[in-house]
Amino acid sequence: MNGSPETSPPELKSSAATPADAALPAGEEAAFPVRRVDTVSLKALAHPLRVQILEMLSRYGAQTACSLGELLNESSGSTSYHLRQLAKHDFVREVEGKGTARERWWERPRGAIQITSPELATSPATEEASRLVTREFEHSRQAVLADFMAHGSEALDAEWLHAALISTANARLTAGQLARYTHALEAYGHRVLEEIRAEGEQEGARPVQIHLNAFPILGVPASAGSRSRTSRTAPQESPERKQP
């Protein structure tokens, strides 16, 4: 559904420029390149500024340490150091044939990054690192969406406002059905985005971020909203997670 920022901004999540936060079921292959981080590389990424640098490169393309410093309000010395640390673990790389010895350009390799898995999330050695990285990515996503919702109508013309989308759907699904839906949607979104990228950069293009959120709602009973419920008693809190 298209419309104004009050009823709808952008997104879909799964391009080669965005991190893939959710693990695929065993035996399933992603429809696009996915890097599954290990313990060592996850710990190397687990620094707020490194996550932000990765996000800026995803969002705006190749940058120098100086331009990243301007985007993040950090010194070029700080961004340069963290770029080198990210490069050691192949999260970023130098752009071939661009820049000089004094001004190096950096980019994100194509492909998604899977930064969570049952193994990483439950390991005492990586649990906190995994939480930090996912928290930083989520804060970044929330910030750009909130900015669009608050100021999009002031900053953008009608063409962009009508092209933007926020779409919410509610359904009762099994874990298998949810996996089928999210993987199919992610694969389709990636294919269409690659077709668009193949057209080359067009006049009037601007950075766009694409989100898709589909998840079971925690903090409420699994039976909430079920048409098969016969009891009208007050819902009990879900044992899955207590709300803070």
Side-chain angles (χ1 to χ4, degrees):
M1 173 176 162
N2 292 349
S4 70
E6 289 74 19
T7 58
S8 80
E11 277 270 297
L12 175 69
K13 189 202 93 160
S14 93
S15 76
T18 54
D21 298 335
L24 288 170
E28 286 205 33
E29 293 296 324
F32 47 87
V34 177
R35 174 186 173 181
R36 294 167 175 83
V37 301
D38 57 20
T39 300
V40 174
S41 58
L42 176 62
K43 288 182 176 180
L45 181 59
H47 185 287
L49 185 53
R50 294 179 193 176
V51 176
Q52 291 166 26
I53 287 172
L54 207 58
E55 180 68 14
M56 292 302 103
L57 294 176
S58 298
R59 215 181 274 181
Y60 304 119
Q63 302 289 324
T64 65
C66 184
S67 64
L68 283 167
E70 292 174 356
L71 286 169
L72 296 168
N73 197 27
E74 295 282 343
S75 71
S76 59
S78 178
T79 54
S80 178
Y81 168 77
H82 288 292
L83 280 165
R84 292 195 301 272
Q85 300 310 305
L86 288 168
K88 287 181 181 179
H89 297 275
D90 300 318
F91 287 113
V92 304
R93 66 187 178 196
E94 279 195 71
V95 180
E96 294 184 7
K98 188 173 184 178
T100 65
R102 294 178 60 86
E103 186 181 60
R104 302 159 75 183
W105 285 79
W106 300 88
E107 66 182 357
R108 265 201 61 183
R110 295 292 297 275
I113 301 173
Q114 181 178 300
I115 55 178
T116 61
S117 69
E119 294 75 23
L120 293 174
T122 57
S123 166
T126 57
E127 183 178 12
E128 184 54 36
S130 180
R131 286 178 179 174
L132 185 151
V133 174
T134 55
R135 184 170 61 244
E136 287 298 321
F137 275 127
E138 187 56 35
H139 285 172
S140 177
R141 285 193 288 258
Q142 290 175 355
V144 291
L145 179 57
D147 189 45
F148 179 90
M149 296 291 285
H151 305 294
S153 59
E154 306 163 13
L156 300 170
D157 60 28
E159 181 182 21
W160 281 100
L161 295 176
H162 287 298
L165 173 69
I166 282 184
S167 177
T168 300
N170 291 281
R172 294 189 57 78
L173 307 173
T174 65
Q177 289 172 326
L178 178 60
R180 194 172 81 210
Y181 176 81
T182 57
H183 299 160
L185 202 54
E186 194 171 42
Y188 177 75
H190 175 74
R191 179 174 63 79
V192 174
L193 194 54
E194 288 301 292
E195 291 173 357
I196 292 172
R197 283 180 174 142
E199 298 171 1
E201 185 165 323
Q202 306 290 305
E203 184 178 353
R206 62 185 300 148
V208 171
Q209 195 168 86
I210 302 169
H211 293 190
L212 168 66
N213 297 323
F215 52 90
I217 302 171
L218 302 183
V220 296
S223 60
S226 171
R227 287 180 298 217
S228 63
R229 291 179 68 198
T230 56
S231 172
R232 294 284 182 178
T233 58
Q236 301 298 310
E237 187 172 35
S238 169
E240 295 176 282
R241 185 177 72 181
K242 290 187 179 294
Q243 296 284 39

